């Protein structure tokens, strides 16, 4: 495995299947939509999509038409939801690829209907998005009713679902999620009163699915939880049984590399750009061929980042560079080129998580995962 590779992301598809199955059971009878946008949060969208479907997901979701095209190109059938309204000039592709667009503007509805008509395709199922307070995309509650009505009036389109998105579901005590739920339910009631019950109503992301059972409706859209990572430290604290590794969700990705070079550096010398931190004692310094171009945040080098070698935590010895990092192995003269380095994941009894990095550098685990660059080969196990 990984022969000749100096750095790679190991993706445990068994963990993805397990997480999909755990989430499906948790939210049943609601369905699970596996969110595989952004190359499956850095895990590879195609392999993740297949594993999630095997684990019990019945829908997939992506952000871009291009991302949906990748799934179809790999013979992934079944419903694929586009999480934003596609650009008007992408509607022909949406129809050809049989993706399910989210719509919330008059132009979007018109363009979708026109694309279906010009392709001579069967009616296209579409979902309507209502903005209940996040104010990113979606029609206002009144606007959503008009969009639903427009969709229902066109023979080219089928009203397949109504949905919204939460702004603060990862803060379990925040009252705004309840407010958004109430607004969403009010819209559903008005749509039902028009005689147009949505076949699928959905609102929850991972955080909502885990923490707000009453908001699961007919489907939940899980990304981060599918990858075995908690949506927030706050949620991990209130749901330890679900989000802790070994009990519930299992992290699927680990970032690994091999030591490429080792040398002894004298006390008082410093390493890497900036020569920031002279060594207090002579140390074995290992070079590892993975850097910020691969998704290792530059800031890790200046805020206490660590890696695992030989089952032990070892501090970075200087700045993260584009292609390489330097690791302070202290007095350990047993570290040699070829030794496995774990940047994210487990080695022996030690573990470094995406949230560990995120907390150190001041971001969220989502950005850490999506930051793992295309230069890092994925090895599926
Ligand atoms: C990305 C996204 C999700 C998935 O969010 P997670 O927090 O990763 O579960 C769900 N819904 C929408 C609209 C999204 O953009």
């Amino acid at each position: 495995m990984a022969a000749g590779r100096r750095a790679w992301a190991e993706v445990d598809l068994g963990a993805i299947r397990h997480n999909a199955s755990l989430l499906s059971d948790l939210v049943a009878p609601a369905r699970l939509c596996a969110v595989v946008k952004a190359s499956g949060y850095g895990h590879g969208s195609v392999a993740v999509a297949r594993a999630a479907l095997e684990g019990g997901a019945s829908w997939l979701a992506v952000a871009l038409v291009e991302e949906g095209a990748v799934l179809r190109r790999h013979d992934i059938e079944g419903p694929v939801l586009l999480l934003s309204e596609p650009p008007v000039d992408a509607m022909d592709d949406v129809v050809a690829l049989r993706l399910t667009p989210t719509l919330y503007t008059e132009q979007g509805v018109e363009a979708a209907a026109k694309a279906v008509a010009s392709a001579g395709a069967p009616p296209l199922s579409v979902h309507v998005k209502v903005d209940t307070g996040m104010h990113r995309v979606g029609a206002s509650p009144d606007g959503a009713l008009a969009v639903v009505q427009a969709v229902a009036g066109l023979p080219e389109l089928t009203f397949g679902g109504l949905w919204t998105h939460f702004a603060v579901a990862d803060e379990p005590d925040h009252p705004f999620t309840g407010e958004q739920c109430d607004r969403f339910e009010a819209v559903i009631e008005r749509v039902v009163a028009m005689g147009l019950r949505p076949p699928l109503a959905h609102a929850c992301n991972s955080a909502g699915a885990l923490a707000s059972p009453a908001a699961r409706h007919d489907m939940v859209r899980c990304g981060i939880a599918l990858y075995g990572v908690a949506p927030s430290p706050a949620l991990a604290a209130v749901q330890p049984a679900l989000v802790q590794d070994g009990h519930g969700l299992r992290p699927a990705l680990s970032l690994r590399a091999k030591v490429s070079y080792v040398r002894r550096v004298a006390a008082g010398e410093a390493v890497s750009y900036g020569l920031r931190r002279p060594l207090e004692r002579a140390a074995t310094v290992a070079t590892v061929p993975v850097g910020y171009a691969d998704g290792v945040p530059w800031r890790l080098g200046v805020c206490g980042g660590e890696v695992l070698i030989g089952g032990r935590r070892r501090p970075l010895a200087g700045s993260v560079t584009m292609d390489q990092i330097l690791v302070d192995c202290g007095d350990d003269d047993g570290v040699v080129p070829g030794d496995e380095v774990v940047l994210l994941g487990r080695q022996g009894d030690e573990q470094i998580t995406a949230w560990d990095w995120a907390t150190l550098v001041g971001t969220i685990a989502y950005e850490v995962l999506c930051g793992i660059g295309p230069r890092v080969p994925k090895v599926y196990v």
Side-chain angles (χ1 to χ4, degrees):
M1 188 205 66
R5 289 192 177 119
R6 314 228 293 165
W8 67 98
E10 194 174 287
V11 179
D12 179 353
L13 294 174
I16 299 280
R17 272 192 296 273
H18 163 86
N19 296 336
S21 148
L22 189 143
L23 291 165
S24 298
D25 291 349
L26 178 76
V27 304
R31 300 183 208 194
L32 174 65
C33 172
V35 179
V36 300
K37 61 190 176 187
S39 200
Y41 291 41
H43 297 60
S45 67
V46 172
V48 165
R50 289 196 183 115
L53 293 169
E54 283 165 18
S58 51
W59 276 73
L60 299 170
V62 293
L64 308 178
V65 176
E66 297 90 301
E67 293 174 331
V70 170
L71 299 177
R72 291 294 189 236
R73 226 175 10 252
H74 289 83
D75 298 321
I76 293 175
E77 298 298 323
V80 175
L81 179 67
L82 295 168
L83 292 167
S84 291
E85 188 173 273
V88 163
D89 60 8
M91 285 299 183
D92 290 335
D93 290 338
V94 170
V95 171
L97 294 162
R98 290 163 293 107
L99 305 176
T100 304
T102 290
L103 301 177
Y104 36 80
T105 71
E106 214 174 287
Q107 303 90 289
V109 172
E110 255 172 48
K114 208 172 134 214
V116 170
S118 71
L124 181 71
S125 177
V126 306
H127 286 202
V128 175
K129 164 99 193 271
V130 53
D131 172 20
T132 55
M134 170 144 165
H135 306 320
R136 183 172 62 173
V137 294
S140 66
D142 287 341
L145 294 185
V147 173
V148 169
Q149 215 144 26
V151 166
L154 289 163
E156 292 88 356
L157 305 180
T158 312
F159 175 44
L162 184 70
W163 67 277
T164 193
H165 191 46
F166 294 140
V168 289
D170 59 335
E171 298 171 50
D173 297 327
H174 203 301
F176 195 64
T177 303
E179 175 87 20
Q180 287 194 271
C181 285
D182 293 347
R183 292 177 191 171
F184 185 48
E185 275 158 32
V187 176
I188 294 175
E189 272 172 34
R190 290 169 70 192
V191 170
V192 169
M194 286 160 39
L196 294 167
R197 176 173 290 282
L200 277 177
H202 49 106
C204 288
N205 52 6
S206 295
L210 295 171
S212 306
R216 289 174 188 150
H217 292 278
D218 305 313
M219 185 163 86
V220 301
R221 307 179 306 269
C222 290
I224 199 82
L226 179 68
Y227 305 99
V229 175
S232 64
L235 206 96
V238 296
Q239 300 263 2
L242 261 177
V243 298
Q244 264 172 23
D245 186 24
H247 300 278
L249 300 169
R250 298 211 299 252
L253 182 138
S254 59
L255 182 60
R256 293 166 193 270
K258 283 180 184 163
V259 172
S260 61
Y261 190 70
V262 176
R263 100 198 51 63
R264 210 51 206 167
V265 178
E269 298 276 323
V271 304
S272 195
Y273 291 123
L275 300 176
R276 282 164 200 277
R277 265 183 289 136
L279 293 167
E280 279 168 21
R281 310 174 6 161
T284 299
V285 174
T287 304
V288 183
V290 62
Y292 59 76
D294 303 297
V296 181
W298 180 87
R299 279 195 55 75
L300 272 188
V302 294
C303 63
E306 294 175 323
V307 301
L308 307 177
I309 303 176
R312 285 168 53 188
R313 304 180 87 93
R314 323 262 187 172
L316 298 186
S319 299
V320 171
T321 73
M322 189 180 291
D323 316 303
Q324 302 176 84
I325 57 172
L326 296 157
V327 180
D328 183 345
C329 300
D331 281 335
D332 192 342
D333 54 11
V335 175
V336 294
D339 280 359
E340 188 183 74
V341 183
V342 171
L343 292 104
L344 288 174
R346 239 178 221 297
Q347 193 184 53
D349 295 332
E350 292 285 354
Q351 184 183 23
I352 297 175
T353 68
W355 273 112
D356 289 338
W357 277 17
T359 308
L360 277 175
V361 308
T363 182
I364 54 176
Y366 295 77
E367 191 180 41
V368 167
L369 294 176
C370 293
I372 293 173
R375 194 168 76 171
V376 180
K378 269 124 208 137
V379 176
Y380 293 102
V381 296

